[in-house]
Amino acid sequence: TGVDYTHEDLVDNMWRNPGEIGNDANGVSKATNGIDDDGNGFVDDVVGWDFGKNDNKPYDLHKTGFQLLLGGNPGHGTHVAGCVAATGDNGKGIAGVAPNVKIMGMRFITEEGQGTTEGAIGAIKYAVDNGAHILQNSWGSEGDGGDQEASQALQDAIQYALDAGVLFVAAAGNGHQGVGYDNDTDSRPAYPASYPHENIISVAAIDKTDQLGSFSNWGRNTVDIAAPGVAVFSTVPDNVYQDTVIDIPGLITAAWDVTSIAAPHVSGAAALYMSLHPNADWREVKQAILNSAVPINAVQGKVVSNGKLNVRNLVQ
């Protein structure tokens, strides 16, 4: 759903497209000059691209309060981005798992919570073509959508990332009506997490007591690891921080309990590992993450690693 690229805890860690930034001979900024300076097919794509509205503002448009009761985006992308890369040691808010990594802002799901496979493919290809090392994918569907052509196109895009050596981290899925299920055996496994591409790391969600979230999908063969994804405190648009999606006293309170929030912890961990091992390829990074996992009872036999993310083990 994009990212609030003006958020106080994210703005310093936003990726800036070097081909679209600079001054002309008169000292005038070229960042938004209406010209495709770098010739990549996207005009003024300074922080990324919005494939939902087809413009250069991948901002995390969101709904709040009673609006959310009717559905829509609560600031999902910004919450995810904070888990990955909220700035560290700045005296503000939180610190992401990788507090000095660069965030490329991508958007293909609108504030209404709607997006297309075509938009997802565009975002994947843009990120790969513009130098992203890790694709953080907190989106998906139950089942493969029934459109074989669109499914194959999406798989081809993930293969494009694989061929370029890019890691693809994906949320394992949030079950049927919020009740988790086995991606290995269910007739409608979560995608793209359940595609067979080797560069995918599929992530289940656990709480602070190491219990599997009741909503979280699992899969001994298709889900790789567990990470924190229950009541997580992170950034949301407009310089706000929350661990609740919606809180209307006396009516409804809902926490950030989703595999969407577990996955970015793994993306942040991958970025940390890459910072220490800049020559490591995606395969080494994935293997290091899984090998350093700490076994926990809740996911024994339910995920490939039988355990949860442990960043200390990973970086040591």
Side-chain angles (χ1 to χ4, degrees):
T1 64
V3 57
D4 178 357
Y5 41 80
T6 68
H7 194 291
E8 64 179 9
D9 223 3
L10 301 175
V11 64
D12 289 341
N13 281 352
M14 291 303 303
W15 171 79
R16 296 291 192 275
N17 183 350
E20 294 287 346
I21 294 177
N23 297 325
D24 63 18
N26 297 317
V28 178
S29 172
K30 297 193 302 181
T32 54
N33 60 0
I35 299 172
D36 180 13
D37 294 298
D38 61 359
N40 69 350
F42 300 90
V43 176
D44 293 336
D45 52 323
V46 177
V47 295
W49 196 258
D50 179 354
F51 287 87
K53 296 291 180 66
N54 194 33
D55 63 33
N56 66 337
K57 300 177 181 64
Y59 187 83
D60 192 10
L61 293 173
H62 62 290
K63 296 188 175 183
T64 59
F66 286 99
Q67 293 177 321
L68 285 174
L69 297 178
L70 301 176
N73 170 40
H76 183 273
T78 303
H79 200 274
V80 168
C83 294
V84 177
T87 306
D89 296 324
N90 64 349
K92 298 175 182 178
I94 64 167
V97 178
N100 196 36
V101 75
K102 296 302 178 187
I103 305 161
M104 184 183 291
M106 306 304 303
R107 184 177 189 257
F108 73 91
I109 295 176
T110 70
E111 62 271 27
E112 303 298 331
Q114 299 170 345
T116 67
T117 301
E118 181 182 10
I121 291 168
I124 291 168
K125 289 189 173 181
Y126 177 99
V128 171
D129 289 345
N130 286 278
H133 298 97
I134 302 163
L135 305 184
Q136 162 49 43
N137 298 276
S138 286
W139 56 274
S141 64
E142 289 182 27
D144 214 3
D147 184 336
Q148 191 57 44
E149 185 175 345
S151 168
Q152 187 58 56
L154 178 55
Q155 291 185 63
D156 290 346
I158 299 172
Q159 183 65 45
Y160 184 75
L162 172 58
D163 293 342
V166 177
L167 192 65
F168 191 100
V169 180
N174 302 318
H176 301 307
Q177 281 79 51
V179 179
Y181 58 83
D182 189 341
N183 276 339
D184 288 0
T185 61
D186 195 89
S187 62
R188 293 176 58 81
Y191 290 102
S194 297
Y195 283 136
H197 303 73
E198 292 183 82
N199 61 327
I200 294 175
I201 302 181
S202 174
V203 188
I206 54 171
D207 65 18
K208 63 184 180 181
T209 66
D210 287 346
Q211 297 303 303
L212 186 68
S214 60
F215 56 86
S216 177
N217 291 358
W218 68 90
R220 184 171 187 169
N221 299 308
T222 55
V223 179
D224 294 293
I225 195 168
V230 176
V232 173
F233 191 73
S234 187
T235 50
V236 291
D238 304 324
N239 291 336
V240 175
Y241 304 84
Q242 290 179 345
D243 56 8
T244 56
V245 178
I246 182 171
D247 186 8
I248 302 176
L251 184 61
I252 184 173
T253 298
W256 283 97
D257 297 353
V258 277
T259 56
S260 285
I261 306 307
H265 288 89
V266 173
S267 290
L272 283 183
Y273 187 86
M274 287 181 176
S275 74
L276 294 170
H277 306 277
N279 295 321
D281 62 16
W282 67 263
R283 194 182 304 274
E284 181 182 337
V285 177
K286 178 177 179 177
Q287 202 58 51
I289 289 171
L290 301 192
N291 288 347
S292 60
V294 172
I296 57 172
N297 292 333
V299 296
Q300 285 289 325
K302 287 189 170 184
V303 303
V304 173
S305 66
N306 290 313
K308 67 175 181 177
L309 178 69
N310 188 291
V311 178
R312 179 179 286 110
N313 284 357
L314 175 67
V315 299
Q316 290 179 349

